[in-house]
Amino acid sequence: MNKPNMEEEPQEMSFVDHLEELRWHIIRSLSSILVFAIIAFLAKGFVFHDIILAPSRTDFLSYRFLCELGERIGSDVLCITDLGFTIQSRQMSGQFAMHIMVSLVLGLACAFPYAFWEIWRFVSPGLYPEEQKNSRGAVFFVSVLFMLGLLFGYYVVSPISINFLASYQVDPSILNEFDLSSYISTLTTLCLACAIMFQLPVVVYFFTKAGLLTPEIMKLYRRHSIIIILVIAAIITPPDIISQLLIAMPLLVLYEVSIRVSSSIRKRDLKRLNQNDTI
């Protein structure tokens, strides 16, 4: 008499089961964003005075740093004493709408590591064991690069862009009175654009592992990439050359770092392939 098989083989999930699992991962991701958005909405005073509107005042950290740097080198050119603009809300529901939008953006920024981890939990089981091994730490590096890009956009690109746009005048008789929605959209666009663009090394890593990209290709098309980076920087930044260069410079550095990442992965794969051939 045959003994019953005590260990049942794991059953493959159906398409509907995969959709159900994906739905719960998305629900948990959106819930985390909503929780942080509610917290940001309730902390209205701190969020708007100390975070959103901080780059519009001369006591902002970046402006104070530039002023101290100017004092050390014996020049007052870098010291910003007046931004020369006011922020107004010209629509009845303008402040309330911006309050909701800012809360959602901050909710996304704060919950990004957890939300990405939830999506990664759904994707990673479908990878081969070798691919899972090679992608260890993906959530950590993606989250770190996202936060670094966000901080770079907030403390470097945004204040310099705001200062340039605020001080630019075609005629002294024209006053710079910006609408609240215009100011916030400029600030959030710059910060989120930097956060996304800082993911370049991660994208290059996975493309190299998939065999779609090699360091030789990246070196061959380096000049083309520089032009593309400058065009992207011109699209996502206000129409001033300073902010465009501030976006383009770190992207060029990240591109060179990505070449190193692709090269190291390529050498490791070739070394592993040679070891397998000799066995």
Side-chain angles (χ1 to χ4, degrees):
M1 186 175 179
N2 295 331
K3 296 182 179 179
N5 187 10
M6 301 301 294
E7 296 182 358
E8 296 182 358
E9 295 182 357
Q11 298 180 354
E12 293 186 0
M13 297 176 62
S14 65
F15 179 72
V16 176
D17 293 334
H18 279 291
L19 287 180
E20 179 66 17
E21 185 178 359
L22 176 61
R23 184 173 73 92
W24 281 108
H25 283 292
I26 293 176
I27 289 176
R28 285 192 290 267
S29 300
L30 294 178
S31 298
S32 64
I33 296 174
L34 183 60
V35 168
F36 281 102
I38 292 174
I39 295 174
F41 186 86
L42 296 176
K44 178 180 64 174
F46 171 77
V47 166
F48 276 87
H49 184 270
D50 296 329
I51 298 178
I52 301 301
L53 297 178
S56 67
R57 299 191 302 270
T58 56
D59 60 349
F60 185 56
L61 179 63
S62 300
Y63 300 141
R64 287 191 281 114
F65 173 79
L66 289 176
C67 193
E68 292 177 0
L69 180 62
E71 291 177 356
R72 291 183 180 181
I73 63 177
S75 174
D76 58 351
V77 177
L78 297 178
C79 194
I80 301 173
T81 57
D82 183 23
L83 291 174
F85 73 96
T86 58
I87 300 177
Q88 297 181 354
S89 180
R90 296 183 175 88
Q91 297 178 355
M92 183 71 71
S93 61
Q95 295 194 47
F96 182 70
M98 288 300 100
H99 189 188
I100 294 177
M101 193 198 82
V102 166
S103 300
L104 291 175
V105 171
L106 287 178
L108 173 63
C110 295
F112 178 82
Y114 176 79
F116 181 78
W117 177 70
E118 280 290 347
I119 302 301
W120 184 252
R121 285 177 59 198
F122 175 78
V123 174
S124 58
L127 302 177
Y128 291 107
E130 185 67 19
E131 293 174 338
Q132 292 180 355
K133 180 181 178 181
N134 292 329
S135 59
R136 287 178 181 175
V139 176
F140 172 77
F141 287 109
V142 169
S143 301
V144 168
L145 289 173
F146 181 86
M147 292 302 174
L148 287 177
L150 205 63
L151 293 174
F152 179 80
Y154 181 73
Y155 284 106
V156 179
V157 179
S158 294
I160 295 180
S161 299
I162 290 172
N163 177 54
F164 173 82
L165 295 175
S167 60
Y168 187 85
Q169 286 182 306
V170 295
D171 189 85
S173 63
I174 301 176
L175 300 178
N176 284 329
E177 297 177 349
F178 304 136
D179 192 74
L180 178 63
S181 60
S182 176
Y183 170 83
I184 291 179
S185 62
T186 300
L187 179 65
T188 55
T189 299
L190 290 173
C191 293
L192 292 178
C194 290
I196 293 173
M197 300 305 294
F198 266 55
Q199 301 299 320
L200 180 62
V202 177
V203 174
V204 170
Y205 175 85
F206 284 105
F207 274 30
T208 303
K209 295 300 297 183
L212 302 175
L213 196 62
T214 62
E216 291 77 18
I217 293 177
M218 296 187 68
K219 292 177 182 179
L220 179 63
Y221 292 99
R222 180 186 274 116
R223 294 181 180 178
H224 302 79
S225 301
I226 293 174
I227 296 176
I228 293 174
I229 288 174
L230 291 174
V231 171
I232 293 175
I235 293 174
I236 64 178
T237 57
D240 66 283
I241 189 65
I242 297 177
S243 58
Q244 292 173 13
L245 292 177
L246 285 173
I247 287 275
M249 287 172 59
L251 289 180
L252 293 174
V253 174
L254 288 173
Y255 186 84
E256 295 299 325
V257 171
S258 300
I259 294 178
R260 300 292 182 183
V261 171
S262 180
S263 179
S264 62
I265 295 172
R266 184 76 171 172
K267 290 179 182 179
R268 191 190 336 173
D269 291 344
L270 290 175
K271 182 178 179 181
R272 187 177 304 163
L273 183 61
N274 293 332
Q275 290 177 351
N276 294 335
D277 291 339
T278 56
I279 295 177

